[in-house]
Structure formats: C-alpha cells, structure tokens
Amino acid sequence: GKRDADGAGPIAIVEPDLQLEIWPAHTFAAPGSRISFWINVSHTDYSGASAFDLEMQALLPEALAYEPGSAELLAGPAASFDEQNLHWHIDTLDWMESQKAVIHFNAICQGQTGDRLTASAHLTWTSQPGESQGERTGAGDAGINDYHRDGLAVVDVMDLSLNKTADPNPAPVGEILTYTLTYENLGNSSASNVNIADELDPGVTFLSADPNPSGANAQTINWTIPMLIADGPHTISIQVLVNDTLPDGALLKNCFTISSNELERRPPIC
C-alpha cells in the first residue's frame, strides 16, 4: 500500500469546533418591559484548534426593540461591534487558552400578551485567518468545515392585571368599607408564586378578607397564589372599619401591587 513520503504514518486533522448559545434573563416578559439577553460562544470538547474571523449577529423580531447602548462584551477577546446590525467580529478565539466570548444586551418588549417572541443568533468562523467563505456554508462532507451555528431564545409575553374598587364611596366614619381586588393572568402561560399585597390606610382597621390572606404585617396584607393560570378574572374581598376619629373629608390612601416569579416587581399602585 501507499505510505507517506516522510514515513510518518497517518496525520490527524484538527479543526475548531464552536458552540453558540443565546438566552434571556427571563423566559417571560410584560409589554414594555426590558429583557436582558446573553450570547455565549465557546470551544466544544471536539474542538482542537483556534477559530478565526468570528462573525456573530443577533437577530430580533419586530416586537423586540434593541436598547441602544446596552450591548457589552463581558468576557473574551476584543470585538468590533456594529450596533445598527447587532453584529460582532472577533479576530481569534484561542483554543489553547479555552477562550470564550460572552456578550450581553437589552431589548424592550413591544409584543402583546399571548405573543411568543423568538430571538436568534448566528455565528460563522474559519480555520485560518483571512476570508474563507467556503468554510462558512455548512456544506462540507459529513460536517467537515461546517463552521456555522445558530441559536434561538424564546420569550413569552404575559402580564398580570390588578384593579381595586371601594364600596361605599365615599365611606362614612365608623362604618364598614368593602374593597374588591380584581386580578388576572393576561398571558397564555401559567404564572407561578403570584403575590398580591395590599397596604391599607392607617385610618382603617382590617376586619376580614375572602379568601383569607397568606400573611399580614401591620397594615399590609398579602396573598400568595402558587400557580395562576389564564382563566380569570378572580377577586379578593376585604372588609375594613373606617375609624370614627377621621375628620370629615379625609382621603383614604391605599396601595396595592402584584408580582410573580416570571415578572419583575413593579411599583405599587396608589
């Protein structure tokens, strides 16, 4: 059989092999909220050489608007950045040093409740410095020179609504006042550990609530719903006694808020 001219025997071929990941800080977002995304590029266990001329791009749907100035390189070699196209270029990702690149940026959710938004990332690289477009197509035999990767990140748009009414209004001093909290999951996915908090005015005394509160601290009452599906609206009834020491025309201030594991806590509604 044939032998190598130098008699060295078979020669192993090594290639750079990279993985691409993109993920959001939370897989749920409310309309108008900020979503943080991370992109990670690193060598896989199958990689055996440095990668060159890395081209990365984040592709956002219309309902996700990039927040200008939010992109930053958190780890890895220096990268040039085209903010208009959300495109990064890295000259070399060293294999011997197990280099990786980590990028962070924010987007504003402009979707409607019930929407499912998909952000994607695209990566290509070469095995030698310089423009080697043929290696970026993924058309190599049996995956050889398959130097491109794609990643996806999915965000479901959901929201929690909370409103409050009082009866009677105005309320006579020394009489019972009934507050009604109406809450609802406006998305298509369940919300977990939903917390509703109601801060009563010092001018009233709490009597009862239906359903019973999960806890109370001074004038603040709260309810925890382990899992809230989109089947509302639901109501909470609170009865308080208007203190007879209040002057005529006094205004009762009442603040309430709703949050869940999926959505960041918002300022109270007062």
Side-chain angles (χ1 to χ4, degrees):
K2 294 184 178 180
R3 296 177 57 85
D4 293 335
D6 60 2
I11 298 175
I13 304 299
V14 293
E15 294 184 279
D17 187 63
L18 304 181
Q19 63 180 357
L20 170 68
E21 301 170 287
I22 178 172
W23 69 94
H26 301 284
T27 56
F28 297 88
S33 65
R34 175 186 290 111
I35 309 170
S36 291
F37 286 93
W38 282 266
I39 296 176
N40 180 78
V41 178
S42 59
H43 287 272
T44 71
D45 292 339
Y46 301 102
S47 188
S50 296
F52 300 91
D53 296 320
L54 283 73
E55 306 288 348
M56 292 176 288
Q57 186 174 21
L59 303 170
L60 302 180
E62 290 185 4
L64 285 176
Y66 167 72
E67 183 179 38
S70 65
E72 54 182 336
L73 180 67
L74 300 180
S80 60
F81 177 49
D82 175 1
E83 187 170 47
Q84 182 175 357
N85 295 302
L86 287 182
H87 182 275
W88 294 264
H89 173 87
I90 295 177
D91 288 337
T92 307
L93 198 68
D94 193 276
W95 172 69
M96 294 293 292
E97 297 183 6
S98 299
Q99 278 189 324
K100 65 179 180 179
V102 181
I103 293 168
H104 166 264
F105 66 90
N106 297 328
I108 305 300
C109 176
Q110 298 180 340
Q112 303 299 314
T113 53
D115 289 348
R116 170 162 285 193
L117 309 179
T118 301
S120 61
H122 182 68
L123 167 70
T124 64
W125 69 94
T126 63
S127 59
Q128 295 293 329
E131 294 296 330
S132 301
Q133 296 299 332
E135 292 187 332
R136 300 178 187 270
T137 64
D141 294 336
I144 297 174
N145 294 346
D146 182 12
Y147 296 157
H148 76 151
R149 297 290 183 270
D150 293 294
L152 296 176
V154 175
V155 176
D156 288 316
V157 183
M158 67 180 299
D159 205 359
L160 300 173
S161 69
L162 181 64
N163 297 289
K164 190 171 188 178
T165 59
D167 182 41
N169 188 9
V173 295
E175 298 293 331
I176 292 177
L177 170 65
T178 300
Y179 288 119
T180 301
L181 289 168
T182 302
Y183 63 96
E184 186 174 6
N185 177 354
L186 300 177
N188 290 331
S189 303
S190 298
S192 56
N193 289 325
V194 174
N195 182 264
I196 297 172
D198 190 297
E199 183 180 351
L200 300 173
D201 189 275
V204 303
T205 301
F206 172 71
L207 297 177
S208 64
D210 183 21
N212 290 325
S214 304
N217 181 13
Q219 291 295 94
T220 301
I221 313 163
N222 63 79
W223 293 261
T224 299
I225 300 115
M227 192 66 65
L228 179 62
I229 63 175
D231 65 345
H234 305 271
T235 59
I236 296 172
S237 178
I238 307 168
Q239 287 196 326
V240 299
L241 179 66
V242 181
N243 296 344
D244 56 13
T245 57
L246 289 174
D248 187 35
L251 297 177
L252 296 176
K253 183 180 178 180
N254 187 257
C255 298
F256 49 97
T257 185
I258 187 170
S259 63
S260 72
N261 285 355
E262 293 78 11
L263 301 177
E264 296 181 356
R265 181 176 292 273
R266 302 173 187 174
I269 303 169
C270 296

